[in-house]
Amino acid sequence: SADSADAVLLGLDPEQREVATTLRGPVCVLAGAGTGKTRAITHRIAYGVRSGQLMPASVLAVTFTNRAAGEMRGRLRTLGAGGVQARTFHSAALRQLQYFWPKAVGGEVPRLLERKIQFVAEAGARCRIRLDRNELRDVTGEIEWAKVTQTVPADYPVAALKSGREAPRDLAEIAQIYGTYEQLKRDRGMIDFEDVLLLTVGILQDRHDIAEQIRTQYQHFVVDEYQDVSPLQQRLLDLWLGERDSLCVVGDASQTIYSFTGATPDHLLNFRTRYPQATVVKLVRDYRSTPQVVHLANGLLNQAKGRAAEHRLELISQRETGPDPVYAEYADEPAEAEGVARRIRDLIAAGVPAGEIAVLYRINAQSEVYEQALADAGVPYQLRGAERFFERQEVQKAILALRGAARSGGNDPLLDDVVELGSQVRAVLSSTGWGTEPPAGSGAVRDQWESLAALVRLAEDFARSRPGATLADLTIELEERKAAQHAPTVQGVTLASLHAAKGLEWDAVFLVGLTDGMIPITYAKTDEQVEEERRLLYVGVTRARIHLNLSWAVSRAPGGRASRRPSRFLNGLRPGSAAPGATAGSAAERGVRGRVRRGPVLCRVCGKTLTEAGELKLMRCEDCPSDMDEGLYERLRDWRAAQSKEQGLPAYCVFT
Ligand code: ATP
Ligand code: MG
């Protein structure tokens, strides 16, 4: 009914409401982080369904990660629009491919290749080209890039040259390995991640009957994180759409962080050219983060260059003032991890739930030292998001084992065992090779262990909440959860890479290892690559709702040479740093041995450098709103004054 549909619009601002109620024709939302893009499209679908204008089964919502898709499905259910498909491009394509394979190709549906790197290594060996570990990873990356840009092996060298990519090996060699890799897969009846999209696109292109069948099913398309759509994904979207234009896309060009896989914000930025009749909506109110966090995010954007940066939108925080971002410099990496773990413990003690805290890093290898430090500090953590929990192989195997055990007389209540921490469940899992102690280090083995540990926790929570429940009851519960795609809620601190943090948010975010060389990462050489690194930092900063901690270590190991500098992206933003482009010796910015330089005064709201005396006093430019906490300006000004008097900073210093 109209009333019940209108209720969905209550939690939206006027611009978001426009998005939600424009159900016809192409719609494009260009807006910065935390402005409610994802919320607007979720409510749009719910509004359309509840007002009877969209049939749930005719809508396909595409998000970037499985976790985001799961969250969207959950919200849609809550909003009364269950039954709408919310998937990643990949999972939507895989379903279609499996469904249409017998009709389009015939025979067995090929199996999905899981260890791609091994196949690439084998292909290299066949070509008699030796690759070390790094080269193997990079060549695999090149093959992925070639595939998503629809470049066949023979065309790879020219395409790679044109794109200005820095190839890890001779281009002809890579092309040869790529060709052999494709052959190997075909011979063994396997497909890789990229093939899923390539084959689906191929089938939809060639078989008009199948394309029509899909178009009859899906009438309306919604795409989140559209700035990171690859040419191949765009092609698939075009095939789904056909001649129709019921398409709603949302994105933020400043968050383009997957260019290395062929993604480009061009589709987002050119949307209006392609669809002149499109409704274009801009959102600028940031509902996620405090003015302090937004100020830093705006400062980062102000220094950005390139096409994406030309389309940036200043964010205006809607939240109450919070604590200033904390910048912390440490002597070495273990000290940094220890310091971060300590601050996390303090936050938890102060009432911030562990599940509302994240530690984000540039590359996965950085996680290990944080795992160690958090474990030492007794802080629970989870290594990756709870995405696709029930689809993980180890979890499926474990559930199968539990079901087997339930059949052969598992009718004893679970609860008795739970007193000794769930020995019945643990015994069954042990039989699948799971040990109660986590394996050392990180990586796949550790991830698998964590998955099963989460399953044990889930089983034990269930047993506690349902006295008298049996193993058979547990397996039913697990099946139900699997069907509902509900992952167990692991109340731990999230450890994730910046790339994986996209679209998510936490009360407290720790951005760690922020040295020049890590972000921008050493292999980012071209201006474009460096800009993408800056956007990655922007994505990281904008994940925080309230607490934001930025840290780095000046040397890697204890006693090492203090040769590292904080990320250049923080110049002019971090207290005590010179503005970018300033020629003052960068050693002076280091803060360890050098003197602290006084940075320029920036507008607290938009980050613009201030020169007018009146503006300087307020630390806010005339163009920006004045509903800011004056006390905060005062404190910051005092702090800056005190800081300029200081002779230097200790190796471990925290700016607050
Ligand atoms: P990102 O670019 O990082 O993906 P986004 O634009 O998709 O961000 P959302 O995740 O949709 O932003 O929203 C950010 C936060 O703000 C969420 O917690 C959301 O619930 C909240 N929010 C969005 N719009 C409103 C609103 N009108 N009123 C209150 N809260 C809102
Ligand atoms: Mg979003």
Side-chain angles (χ1 to χ4, degrees):
S1 74
D3 278 357
S4 108
D6 284 347
V8 170
L9 304 176
L10 288 179
L12 302 179
D13 68 26
E15 291 79 20
Q16 292 171 331
R17 212 169 281 195
E18 187 185 355
V19 177
T21 53
T22 310
L23 297 171
R24 295 277 160 254
V27 178
C28 173
V29 181
L30 285 162
T35 54
K37 295 183 295 297
T38 303
R39 179 163 163 138
I41 54 172
T42 311
H43 284 244
R44 180 181 186 268
I45 296 169
Y47 177 76
V49 168
R50 287 173 64 153
S51 65
Q53 299 179 69
L54 302 178
M55 293 289 291
S58 73
V59 181
L60 180 57
V62 185
T63 64
F64 206 78
T65 60
N66 285 300
R67 177 166 171 169
E71 279 184 9
M72 188 178 278
R73 277 195 296 271
R75 297 229 175 96
L76 286 170
R77 253 198 312 273
T78 316
L79 292 170
V84 171
Q85 295 282 326
R87 297 185 170 274
T88 61
F89 273 107
H90 186 263
S91 82
L94 183 60
R95 246 169 78 104
Q96 294 175 9
L97 191 66
Q98 283 167 338
Y99 187 75
F100 289 109
W101 189 268
K103 184 171 171 186
V105 185
E108 288 266 304
V109 181
R111 277 176 307 138
L112 207 56
L113 173 68
E114 282 180 9
R115 288 163 207 267
K116 182 189 275 172
I117 277 220
Q118 278 177 14
F119 263 62
V120 176
E122 198 177 331
R126 288 213 178 173
C127 301
R128 299 183 189 287
I129 299 169
R130 271 189 65 90
L131 300 170
D132 67 28
R133 250 178 66 194
N134 288 336
E135 286 171 329
L136 195 56
R137 186 200 64 210
D138 293 346
V139 169
T140 306
E142 287 303 297
I143 294 177
E144 285 171 0
W145 173 82
K147 294 184 76 159
V148 295
T149 53
Q150 291 177 274
T151 308
V152 296
D155 296 341
Y156 167 79
V158 174
L161 268 182
K162 265 199 206 149
S163 76
R165 297 172 71 78
E166 189 155 327
R169 294 284 294 218
D170 178 69
L171 295 175
E173 279 183 346
I174 297 175
Q176 200 191 348
I177 298 172
Y178 174 18
T180 310
Y181 163 82
E182 289 295 308
Q183 189 60 47
L184 268 179
K185 268 191 303 120
R186 258 196 305 276
D187 292 349
R188 295 180 194 169
M190 301 189 96
I191 54 174
D192 66 17
F193 197 82
E194 289 71 32
D195 287 329
V196 172
L197 289 195
L198 280 165
L199 290 169
T200 310
V201 162
I203 290 176
L204 296 184
Q205 258 165 198
D206 295 351
R207 294 286 301 265
H208 292 282
D209 54 331
I210 292 177
E212 273 317 310
Q213 219 177 313
I214 286 182
R215 286 174 202 153
T216 311
Q217 157 98 59
Y218 296 117
Q219 315 272 342
H220 310 279
F221 298 86
V222 176
V223 186
D224 200 358
E225 308 272 2
Y226 190 59
Q227 75 279 359
D228 266 326
V229 75
S230 74
L232 189 56
Q233 291 166 338
Q234 179 63 45
R235 181 81 193 109
L236 182 60
L237 186 60
D238 288 339
L239 285 162
W240 283 339
L241 272 166
E243 298 297 311
R244 301 162 304 171
D245 66 359
S246 183
L247 170 65
C248 170
V249 299
V250 306
D252 174 9
S254 299
Q255 291 187 68
T256 306
I257 55 172
Y258 278 87
S259 310
F260 66 99
T261 67
T264 153
D266 291 351
H267 301 290
L268 176 69
L269 298 177
N270 296 339
F271 195 80
R272 208 184 206 153
T273 316
R274 181 167 174 190
Y275 297 107
Q277 76 279 30
T279 306
V280 177
V281 182
K282 298 193 172 171
L283 310 173
V284 288
R285 295 183 198 87
D286 184 314
Y287 293 95
R288 176 181 294 145
S289 312
T290 62
Q292 284 72 15
V293 172
V294 168
H295 174 69
L296 177 56
N298 281 334
L300 279 171
L301 284 192
N302 283 342
Q303 298 179 355
K305 301 171 199 78
R307 180 155 192 232
E310 286 162 25
H311 293 264
R312 68 163 167 259
L313 290 161
E314 292 286 340
L315 301 173
I316 302 164
S317 172
Q318 302 300 301
R319 292 188 67 128
E320 286 174 22
T321 53
D324 281 333
V326 173
Y327 296 83
E329 180 169 274
Y330 295 90
D332 53 65
E333 284 181 6
E336 182 183 3
E338 214 178 285
V340 165
R342 206 171 24 234
R343 292 196 147 257
I344 288 178
R345 233 181 25 200
D346 292 347
L347 282 176
I348 293 174
V352 180
E356 276 303 336
I357 302 174
V359 176
L360 307 178
Y361 34 77
R362 174 66 183 84
I363 58 170
N364 283 308
Q366 287 171 283
S367 78
E368 213 177 325
V369 58
Y370 289 91
E371 288 178 59
Q372 187 68 51
L374 289 174
D376 289 348
V379 174
Y381 64 89
Q382 69 201 80
L383 248 189
R384 59 174 177 192
E387 60 184 351
R388 282 207 304 177
F389 179 79
F390 287 105
E391 283 167 37
R392 292 182 202 157
Q393 226 181 358
E394 66 271 19
V395 174
Q396 288 185 349
K397 260 206 213 149
I399 292 178
L400 217 62
L402 286 170
R403 207 185 301 152
R407 262 199 216 109
S408 52
N411 280 329
D412 303 334
L414 285 166
L415 190 67
D416 289 346
D417 301 303
V418 165
V419 178
E420 294 166 49
L421 280 175
S423 61
Q424 213 189 131
V425 172
R426 284 173 191 245
V428 176
L429 292 193
S430 300
S431 72
T432 69
W434 184 73
T436 39
E437 287 302 310
S442 57
V445 177
R446 177 62 189 249
D447 282 357
Q448 284 172 11
W449 187 89
E450 293 286 352
S451 299
L452 295 182
L455 188 67
V456 169
R457 277 196 292 273
L458 186 142
E460 291 171 358
D461 285 348
F462 170 73
R464 267 184 224 107
S465 68
R466 291 262 303 271
T470 63
L471 205 49
D473 295 327
L474 174 67
T475 59
I476 293 169
E477 166 76 11
L478 292 177
E479 287 304 325
E480 276 173 5
R481 283 193 185 235
K482 182 178 170 182
Q485 280 290 319
H486 267 169
T489 33
V490 188
Q491 275 306 315
V493 171
T494 299
L495 294 186
S497 71
L498 288 165
H499 279 100
K502 194 175 180 158
L504 306 177
E505 59 188 29
W506 292 270
D507 283 346
V509 169
F510 289 78
L511 302 177
V512 300
L514 299 181
T515 57
D516 228 47
M518 204 46 104
I519 191 153
I521 199 141
T522 26
Y523 52 76
K525 296 240 163 60
T526 65
D527 287 350
E528 274 165 45
Q529 287 166 339
V530 171
E531 284 307 307
E532 177 137 323
E533 296 286 311
R534 193 198 305 275
R535 292 192 293 268
L536 200 51
L537 185 57
Y538 170 74
V539 168
V541 165
T542 54
R543 298 309 99 200
R545 294 198 193 102
I546 304 163
H547 304 276
L548 179 62
N549 282 251
L550 304 100
S551 61
W552 60 91
V554 288
S555 85
R556 183 177 199 119
R561 210 159 54 86
S563 56
R564 298 175 173 197
R565 287 199 271 134
S567 169
R568 73 187 74 152
F569 300 141
L570 296 175
N571 290 354
L573 301 173
R574 152 177 85 79
S577 64
T583 48
S586 35
E589 293 166 24
R590 223 174 282 166
V592 189
R593 285 159 299 166
R595 294 163 78 94
V596 177
R597 286 180 57 85
R598 190 175 174 164
V601 180
L602 306 177
C603 170
R604 298 275 312 150
V605 186
C606 69
K608 199 164 82 182
T609 303
L610 303 178
T611 46
E612 296 289 328
E615 292 184 342
L616 279 173
K617 188 161 172 286
L618 287 172
M619 292 184 65
R620 184 185 65 231
C621 70
E622 267 181 3
D623 301 329
C624 280
S626 58
D627 53 348
M628 307 280 296
D629 176 358
E630 287 297 330
L632 200 81
Y633 294 137
E634 303 275 315
R635 271 195 290 135
L636 201 92
R637 211 173 49 222
D638 292 351
W639 178 82
R640 273 179 197 275
Q643 194 205 11
S644 67
K645 280 191 204 139
E646 268 187 48
Q647 291 302 301
L649 293 163
Y652 166 77
C653 59
V654 174
F655 310 96
T656 22

